[in-house]
Amino acid sequence: MPTGVHLRDARQQLFDAAERVLLRDGPSALTSRAITDEAGCAKGVLHRHFADFDAFLTDLVLDRTAQLEAQASALRESAGTGTVAGNLTTALTALFGPLPVAIIPLITFRDELRARLRQARPGGGIAILSQATIAVSAYLADERELGRIAAGADIDSLTLSLVGGGHLLFADRAPGPPTAAAVKKLVTATIAHVV
């Protein structure tokens, strides 16, 4: 690899390269060499911008998790409009897009990454799943306030069922994402007794 090649916003280019490797080849293929090869830069570039590979991965996950905030906001803003099932179906499809689903196993299998994420985001949990849980829970609470969900609905249990079920539907990357009909079926069955 050539050295001395200037990278504009090297951090972002490295994040984008990591995303491409992650989506194309999966979490096990995500190495510093694969990322710098994908970015077209020397391996040392990554280590000039990050203390070590786990520091890079931590920043990558935090950056991509922050991008989910827009989707979480859109879900909250949808409260009182459309149907509860339709809003949740759209949200789960967005929150469990290809990149979030690829990041979850990366976090699961890298102990040091999980430890660093816990330090960066007190409260624990797995980034991405935590973000989805917060978004769905807040949305359900808003809909309960609006009277579109039963006043006695157990928001915590509904949230865990929707996020856990949604993750399971989207977790198998090989055949591609589930159909909208499959996601809606899960959502409808989960919330049927409270809508």
Side-chain angles (χ1 to χ4, degrees):
M1 275 298 143
T3 59
V5 174
H6 178 68
L7 290 177
R8 275 199 189 125
D9 195 3
R11 289 172 57 90
Q12 191 58 50
Q13 287 187 5
L14 290 167
F15 287 165
D16 292 345
E19 183 176 318
R20 290 190 300 274
V21 171
L22 195 55
L23 291 174
R24 183 183 59 236
D25 303 324
S28 62
L30 200 61
T31 64
S32 58
R33 172 65 67 203
I35 293 164
T36 54
D37 285 352
E38 183 72 25
C41 65
K43 186 176 180 182
V45 171
L46 189 142
H47 295 287
R48 271 196 299 273
H49 293 277
F50 301 92
D52 55 36
F53 191 58
D54 283 310
F56 169 79
L57 292 175
T58 300
D59 284 359
L60 170 69
V61 171
L62 292 173
D63 179 75
R64 294 326 195 221
T65 300
Q67 292 178 3
L68 292 177
E69 290 175 13
Q71 293 160 339
S73 293
L75 176 59
R76 295 253 350 238
E77 291 169 10
S78 71
T81 66
T83 66
V84 174
N87 294 339
L88 286 167
T89 299
T90 299
L92 289 178
T93 301
L95 291 168
F96 288 115
L99 184 61
V101 168
I103 287 175
I104 293 168
L106 178 68
I107 297 167
T108 303
F109 294 109
R110 290 192 69 100
D111 295 337
E112 182 61 25
L113 175 58
R114 272 194 323 280
R116 290 180 189 208
L117 288 169
R118 273 191 227 102
Q119 288 176 339
R121 296 176 61 104
I126 294 179
I128 308 294
L129 290 177
S130 296
Q131 188 72 18
T133 300
I134 291 165
V136 170
S137 180
Y139 168 76
L140 290 171
D142 290 348
E143 291 288 18
R144 185 172 58 187
E145 272 299 304
L146 294 169
R148 293 179 10 130
I149 290 182
D154 181 354
I155 299 297
D156 292 339
S157 295
L158 286 171
T159 299
L160 289 174
S161 297
L162 290 164
V163 172
H167 178 236
L168 288 173
L169 278 178
F170 284 89
D172 189 4
R173 296 170 11 129
T179 64
V183 179
K184 189 168 187 172
K185 180 179 177 183
L186 165 74
V187 169
T188 304
T190 304
I191 64 172
H193 67 288
V194 297
V195 175

